[in-house]
Amino acid sequence: MTARAPRAGDAAAIGQVALIGLFVTALATAQLTASKLLMFGLPFELPLAGGALVLPGAALAYALTFFASDCYAELYGRRAATVMVNVGFAMNFVVLLLVWSTIAAPALPDQPIDPSTFATVLGASTNIVLGSLLAYVVSQNWDVLVFHRIREYTDGEKLWLRNIGSTATSQFLDTVIFVSVAFSLAPAVLGTGGSTPTNVILSLIVGQYVFKLLVALVDTPFVYAVVALVDRFGDGAATADPATR
C-alpha cells in the first residue's frame, strides 16, 4: 500500500497544531517558573531600573506566547486566535490544579527531593497566581484586538507593524498588571506576603517591559518566517476567511 502524499491542508493543520502547542507549552512553563526572579546586569543605567534588568523567570516563556498568538492570528484569523487565548486561560487552572494536587498528595518518605522543597519551587504563591491570571486574560485579548485593528488600518500590509505594535502595548499592560497585583495590591488586600516598596515595583516594571520589548523586536523576522513557511507549504490553506480577520 503506497503512502498518501501530504496535501496543502495537512501542512496548514500541522502549522496550526504546532503554534497551539508552542502557545500552551510556553504558557504552562511560565506558570511554573514565575516565582524565580532573575537579574541581568547592564552596561548602562536605565531610569528607575538602574544598571540591571530584574524580571521573573517566566518572562521569556511568556514572551513566546505573544509570538505564537501573533503568528496564529495572522494565519488563522481573529476568532481562532481569541479562542486559543481564552482556552489557554482555562488551561492555566488545569496546570495549577495538577501542580497543587501533586503537592497535596501523600509523599514517599526519604525520597531524594524533599516534599517541602518541591512545594516551594512549584507551588506559586496566591499573589503570583492572581497577578499572572489577571494580566494574562487582559493582555492576550488586547494583543489579538490590536493586531487585527492594525491589520485593518494597513489593508493587510506591514506585518512587522502589527506584530510590534500589538505586542508592545499588550506587554506593557501585562507587566503593569502583573507586578502591581502580585507585589502590591494582592499583598495589601489579602494580607498574604509582604508589600514590595514602590521603587522596587517601578524597577520591576521597567526591567520586565524593556526585556519584553526587545523580544518583540527580535522575534519579528521569525513571525515573518513562520507565516511564510505555513503559507508556502499550506498553499494558502492557512489563510483565514477575511471576514474573521
Side-chain angles (χ1 to χ4, degrees):
M1 182 177 179
T2 58
R4 179 177 63 83
R7 295 179 300 180
D10 295 336
I14 291 171
Q16 189 171 22
V17 171
L19 287 172
I20 293 173
L22 175 61
F23 183 86
V24 174
T25 299
L27 188 60
T29 302
Q31 282 290 353
L32 298 178
T33 57
S35 57
K36 179 178 179 178
L37 294 178
L38 310 178
M39 185 176 73
F40 297 95
L42 297 173
F44 51 85
E45 296 279 326
L46 284 174
L48 301 176
L53 292 181
V54 179
L55 54 150
L60 180 57
Y62 200 56
L64 279 177
T65 66
F66 287 90
F67 166 77
S69 65
D70 282 352
C71 291
Y72 196 83
E74 176 66 14
L75 288 164
Y76 304 104
R78 177 177 174 178
R79 292 179 186 172
T82 301
V83 169
M84 183 180 73
V85 164
N86 289 303
V87 169
F89 178 72
M91 292 303 101
N92 272 299
F93 293 97
V94 175
V95 172
L96 293 171
L97 178 62
L98 291 173
V99 170
W100 287 340
S101 63
T102 303
I103 291 172
L108 175 72
D110 302 321
Q111 58 181 291
I113 299 177
D114 185 80
S116 61
T117 302
F118 181 88
T120 300
V121 172
L122 292 182
S125 71
T126 302
N127 300 338
I128 295 292
V129 170
L130 288 176
S132 176
L133 292 178
L134 182 59
Y136 170 86
V137 74
V138 172
S139 63
Q140 288 284 0
N141 280 287
W142 176 264
D143 183 68
V144 173
L145 174 65
V146 172
F147 186 92
H148 285 280
R149 287 291 175 85
I150 296 176
R151 191 179 197 283
E152 291 170 3
Y153 292 148
T154 58
D155 294 323
E157 302 295 329
K158 298 182 176 61
L159 173 57
W160 63 270
L161 180 60
R162 53 185 176 274
N163 176 63
I164 295 174
S166 64
T167 301
T169 55
S170 58
Q171 289 282 30
F172 178 75
L173 287 174
D174 174 75
T175 301
V176 171
I177 293 172
F178 172 72
V179 174
S180 299
V181 173
F183 297 97
S184 181
L185 295 178
V189 174
L190 302 177
T192 54
S195 182
T196 305
T198 302
N199 64 315
V200 176
I201 289 175
L202 292 175
S203 176
L204 282 169
I205 289 174
V206 172
Q208 288 183 63
Y209 184 64
V210 168
F211 174 81
K212 292 173 180 179
L213 191 58
L214 289 174
V215 171
L217 295 173
V218 170
D219 78 11
T220 300
F222 296 97
V223 172
Y224 272 92
V226 169
V227 170
L229 185 67
V230 175
D231 269 344
R232 177 185 175 186
F233 289 99
D235 194 25
T239 303
D241 185 333
T244 68
R245 284 181 175 269

